[in-house]
Each structure stands twice: as C-alpha cells, then as structure tokens.
C-alpha cells in the first residue's frame, strides 16, 4: 500500500505505477520497497480454534458476579472487548461457570 505525497489518499497499483484516486497523482512503483511491505494477501480465511481439550480454569479470568439466570452470586468468566469507537469504554462479556448463561455489560 502506498499513500499519495500530494493529498495523503491511498494509491492503487496500476501496472508499473501507483495512481492516486483522490487527485490523480502518479508515481513509479519500486519493487524493492514493495517487497518490504506487509500484505493481507492469503490471510482472508478465519480459522476455528478447538477449545474442547482446554481446562475450564485456563479459559480466562473469573470474578464473583450475580448471574441474571441463577439469580445468585456466582463465579463467572469474563472478557473485555472494544466493540465501539475508541473513545468509549470496553464492553464486558460474562459467562456463568455454573449454568453457562452469557450476558454483557456496557457503560452508559
């Protein structure tokens, strides 16, 4: 991937040159520089991870939390993920180790 020196837009490869979609600026391609670039080519597929042989204690951190399904304070596994914009807090995902119920919490 290459970025335009004129306007900063992403350029596209067109035979022996890079062409900017934004302003039309063109640059010659450099094979040596392109060989050092990291690509996503060949990384399109998702792989499934088999967790069936993993001990429950190795799946993630736990905390004492009231399970909405059991309606009692239980040990629950949790993980945090950034699923909204970076200026908002992470979403917490919980799984009850007793009944397997899953829920999430967001800061409002």
């Amino acid at each position: 991937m290459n970025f335009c020196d004129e306007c900063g837009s992403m350029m596209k490869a067109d035979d022996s040159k890079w062409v900017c979609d934004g302003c039309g600026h063109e640059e010659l391609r450099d094979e040596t520089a392109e060989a050092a670039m990291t690509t996503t080519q060949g990384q399109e597929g998702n792989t499934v991870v088999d967790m069936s042989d993993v001990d429950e204690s190795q799946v993630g951190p736990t905390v004492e939390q009231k399970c909405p399904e059991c309606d009692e304070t239980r040990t629950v596994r949790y993980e945090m993920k950034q699923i909204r914009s970076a200026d908002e807090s992470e979403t917490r995902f919980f799984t009850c180790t007793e009944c397997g119920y899953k829920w999430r919490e967001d800061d409002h």
Side-chain angles (χ1 to χ4, degrees):
M1 181 182 316
N2 203 14
F3 292 94
C4 180
D5 291 333
E6 302 296 318
C7 71
S9 295
M10 187 169 55
M11 299 179 84
K12 298 209 167 127
D14 184 15
D15 294 325
S16 63
K17 59 188 173 191
W18 289 101
V19 179
C20 176
D21 282 343
C23 69
H25 176 73
E26 295 182 1
E27 293 178 13
L28 291 175
R29 292 177 65 178
D30 180 359
E31 288 184 29
T32 307
E34 289 180 35
M37 292 180 183
T38 302
T39 69
T40 57
Q41 194 170 26
Q43 299 178 14
E44 293 84 18
N46 291 332
T47 57
V48 176
V49 177
D50 181 12
M51 298 291 286
S52 60
D53 293 335
V54 177
D55 187 276
E56 287 290 319
S57 64
Q58 298 174 324
V59 175
T62 59
V63 66
E64 294 296 313
Q65 183 87 1
K66 185 172 184 175
C67 173
E69 186 73 14
C70 299
D71 202 30
E72 299 210 15
T73 301
R74 305 279 190 186
T75 301
V76 296
R77 265 186 265 111
Y78 72 93
E79 61 181 309
M80 299 174 75
K81 292 184 181 180
Q82 187 72 40
I83 60 172
R84 296 172 289 163
S85 61
D87 64 339
E88 296 186 45
S89 63
E90 295 176 311
T91 301
R92 294 170 303 280
F93 294 90
F94 298 96
T95 304
C96 179
T97 57
E98 294 293 320
C99 70
Y101 183 74
K102 298 179 180 194
W103 72 100
R104 65 188 256 183
E105 289 181 356
D106 297 307
D107 289 339
H108 300 286

